[in-house]
Every structure is written in C-alpha cells, then in structure tokens.
Amino acid sequence: MTATAARRSDRRISPVFVGILAVTAVTGWATWTGFAEQPGVAVFLFVTAAWIVSLCLHEYAHARTALHSGDISVGSKGYLTLNPLKYTHALLSIVLPVLFVIMGGIGLPGGAVFIERGRIRGRWKHSLISAAGPLTNVVFAVVCTAPFWLDALDGVPTDFRFALAFLALLQVTAAILNFLPVPGLDGYGVIEPWLSYKIKRQVEPFAPFGLLFVFALLWVPSVNHAFFDLIDSILASLGISDVETYCGQDLFRFWQTSDFCSVSS
C-alpha cells in the first residue's frame, strides 16, 4: 500500500459510524411516524444513537484540529474514521457518557483521543485543539434547537419534538460542562498551555478524577438545581420549555414513563 493510499484509508469513514448513523435515521423515522408500538423505546434508541454520533464528532473535531496543528499521528490511530472503537478509552468515551445520560440526563463526553502534544507548537493551537470538541456540541445544539427558535414546529410530531428537546439539553450540558476549567475536561485543556509549569505539575495528579468529580458534584441537590436552572434558562431563550425537555427525558426512560407527558401531549 502506498503512502497516499494509507492516508486515504486512515481518513475513510468507518462502517461502524455509518451503522450508528443508520440506527439514528431509522429510529428517528420510527419516532416521527409513531411506527413503534412503544414510542419510548424508539425515543431511547434515537436519542442514544444521536448522542453517540455527537460523541464521535466531538472526538473527531479534536483529532482533525490536532492533525492541522502538526500531529499527523492521529490518522494512523484511526481517529479520523469516526470509529468510536478506535478511541483510546472506549469506556470513558462511550460507555460512561451513555450511563450519565441514563442516570442523570447529563451530557458529558469523556476523554478519548490521545494527542501527541509534543508535535504541536504554539499555545493557541493547543487551546484550539481542546476547544474544538465542545464547540462541536455547540453546533449540534444549534441544529437541535433550530426548529424551536425558528418557530418551525408545525407538523412535527409531539414525541419527536420531545426527543429533540431532550437531545438539545444533552448537547447544551455537554458544551457547558466540557468548558469548565476542571482537570481532565476540555476547559482545562484550553487554559493549560497558559499556566506555569509549577501549577501544571500540581494539578496533573487530579486530572484522571476530574470527570468523576464533576459528575459527583452534580448529585449535590443545591448544585444540581442551580445547574439545571441555568440549562433551562438557556433552552428557554432558544424556545424550548422545561416541560418539553422533561417529557423528552420521560420518554427516553421508557421503563419508568409517567402519565404526565401523555396527558400534556
């Protein structure tokens, strides 16, 4: 295989990612048409698959930005194929974020791609690589909320609207949480190049626990309420009510669906 052919293979979209897109499309169609006997199952599969798609795009953004910043090793590692199975930490990248969604309705991508920072010169490039992931969640959130703030919901089935509202909530929470300057999260990666060597050495031992620390903190009632009040305010400014996000999450958790949303719809 020539070097050119190898580079093309390194950047070819993975069949795994295509399969996830197919699941998203099929379950989105089932949610829209009401094809499934249990709409909650369709919503669960649709939101989960779409969430995994956003995780793949999040990590792809990190890798692609690193490639253009000087780390050409990301191609040979498979990071440019959008295949979640190629990530350095599949548990942190896919399993834990999905569990966070199921347990708490929180969108929180984990660390995944390994960037060889020594290949990259310039603090701004390092910051941009870290920011690229959560900025992808911002774009995803804009797409999910567009029908609401464009007032283009005429003809959109109720279940699909609820599912889209919940998916938007996940993207907004992912963007905000990932921009927190906590070791192990992208927000810290943005500011890390600008910190002194001494501070970075002091913080380094805490990096593996940053993600779990944030998730544990969100289980504190006062913190949880303040955080979701902020999220609700942001979504309300984009035309999504807390009732819509609640019903979306209620449908997503089909195993414990209440009667409130069926009455509301």
Side-chain angles (χ1 to χ4, degrees), residues 52-158:
I52 294 175
V53 167
S54 74
L55 293 176
C56 294
L57 293 174
H58 177 110
E59 304 306 338
Y60 175 83
H62 285 310
R64 191 76 189 192
T65 308
L67 174 69
H68 292 294
S69 298
D71 183 7
I72 59 174
S73 70
V74 295
S76 60
K77 294 171 183 172
Y79 296 160
L80 301 177
T81 65
L82 290 163
N83 183 355
L85 301 179
K86 294 291 184 179
Y87 297 154
T88 306
H89 300 292
L91 175 65
L92 292 178
S93 305
I94 301 298
V95 178
L96 279 182
V98 171
L99 285 177
F100 289 161
V101 171
I102 293 174
M103 293 172 60
I106 300 170
L108 188 59
V113 297
F114 175 72
I115 306 298
E116 295 186 16
R117 296 280 181 171
R119 295 174 177 262
I120 300 164
R121 297 292 180 268
R123 289 183 291 183
W124 283 107
K125 289 182 180 179
H126 285 281
S127 294
L128 184 58
I129 290 169
S130 295
L135 286 175
T136 303
N137 294 111
V138 172
V139 173
F140 214 108
V142 170
V143 173
C144 290
T145 58
F148 297 88
W149 50 264
L150 289 175
D151 196 22
L153 291 170
D154 289 344
V156 177
T158 302

Side-chain angles (χ1 to χ4, degrees), residues 152-186:
L153 291 170
D154 289 344
V156 177
T158 302
D159 287 347
F160 190 85
R161 187 177 84 245
F162 290 162
L164 206 59
F166 181 52
L167 187 58
L169 178 145
L170 296 180
Q171 298 303 324
V172 172
T173 58
I176 291 177
L177 292 174
N178 264 272
F179 270 127
L180 292 176
V182 175
L185 297 181
D186 292 326

